[in-house]
Every structure is written in structure tokens, then in C-alpha cells.
Amino acid sequence: QVQLVESGGGLVQAGGSLRLSCAASGRTFSSYAMGWFRQAPGKEREFVAAISWGGGNTYYAVSVKGRFTISRDNAKNTVFLQMNSLKPEDTAVYYCSAASRNASPRSEPGWWDYWGQGTQITVSS
């Protein structure tokens, strides 16, 4: 069982930056693929980024590639999402996710096993 707690959300102006953190419980954090998703009002939850268990492979949605960076610190059981050049369309609740599957992370929400409670990001124009 893994519990995920996100932090770092807030209000930022367009063009600004934020860094999200996701702290995970459990002694097997390093064996989990980790991801970030987001959900805007009235829209489905969408994939943002993912990182393999060892951190050697990262994956991004086209809409955030080049602006967002996912990373992890297995010693601290934490995954990060650095968000730069934020746009109003990035406004959403951001969720951290984890999966224990021995496979490349996937963008479908149903592939992931665990979810955090979410943190709100609001980008003003």
C-alpha cells in the first residue's frame, strides 16, 4: 500500500513557475513508477508526466513537453514536477500517481494503482 501526498500548488501568473512535490509512504517507493495527472473543471483527468522506477526514463504529454520536468528522489520517497512558462490552460487540480507494474508507464489513468488527493494550480492571465 502506498499513500501519496501532494504539495506546492497555488496561484501564479502566466509565465511563472511552480514546483509540485509528492511524498510517498512505504519502503518500496523506488520500485514504483510515478506520474502526474491533472483535471480541469468539466474535463477528464489527463496525463501530464511520468517517470520510471529508476528515474532513467521520463514521459510527457505534448502540451507540457519542454516546459515541465518530472524527477524523483528515491532516498526521500518524493517525486517532483517543475512547471515553467505556465499558461492559463494549465489551470487544474494536479494529482500524483504511483504504479507497481514492471512496465513502461502509461498515460491511461486506469493503469495507475494509487492516487494522491490533488493540489490546485491556478494560472492567471
Side-chain angles (χ1 to χ4, degrees):
Q1 191 76 9
V2 175
Q3 292 185 325
L4 306 173
V5 179
E6 302 98 334
S7 61
L11 174 65
V12 64
Q13 288 188 333
S17 298
L18 280 175
R19 188 172 87 150
L20 300 182
S21 299
C22 173
S25 65
R27 294 176 292 178
T28 59
F29 173 78
S30 60
S31 67
Y32 284 78
M34 300 297 296
W36 288 96
F37 284 73
R38 66 188 181 186
Q39 188 166 18
K43 294 188 177 181
E44 294 185 350
R45 190 169 298 191
E46 67 171 358
F47 172 77
V48 174
I51 189 167
S52 59
W53 63 269
N57 295 298
T58 56
Y59 311 82
Y60 297 95
V62 172
S63 59
V64 307
K65 197 168 186 178
R67 300 188 297 123
F68 291 11
T69 302
I70 188 171
S71 60
R72 66 190 297 162
D73 184 339
N74 286 344
K76 296 182 178 180
N77 282 15
T78 303
V79 63
F80 304 98
L81 184 68
Q82 178 66 43
M83 304 183 292
N84 299 328
S85 302
L86 283 161
K87 305 175 181 180
E89 51 264 43
D90 294 319
T91 295
V93 176
Y94 282 70
Y95 296 92
C96 177
S97 58
S100 60
R101 292 171 178 74
N102 185 22
S104 296
R106 298 186 62 173
S107 62
E108 296 87 352
W111 186 84
W112 298 83
D113 299 318
Y114 303 102
W115 295 89
Q117 81 288 350
T119 186
Q120 176 71 45
I121 302 294
T122 302
V123 184
S124 62
S125 57

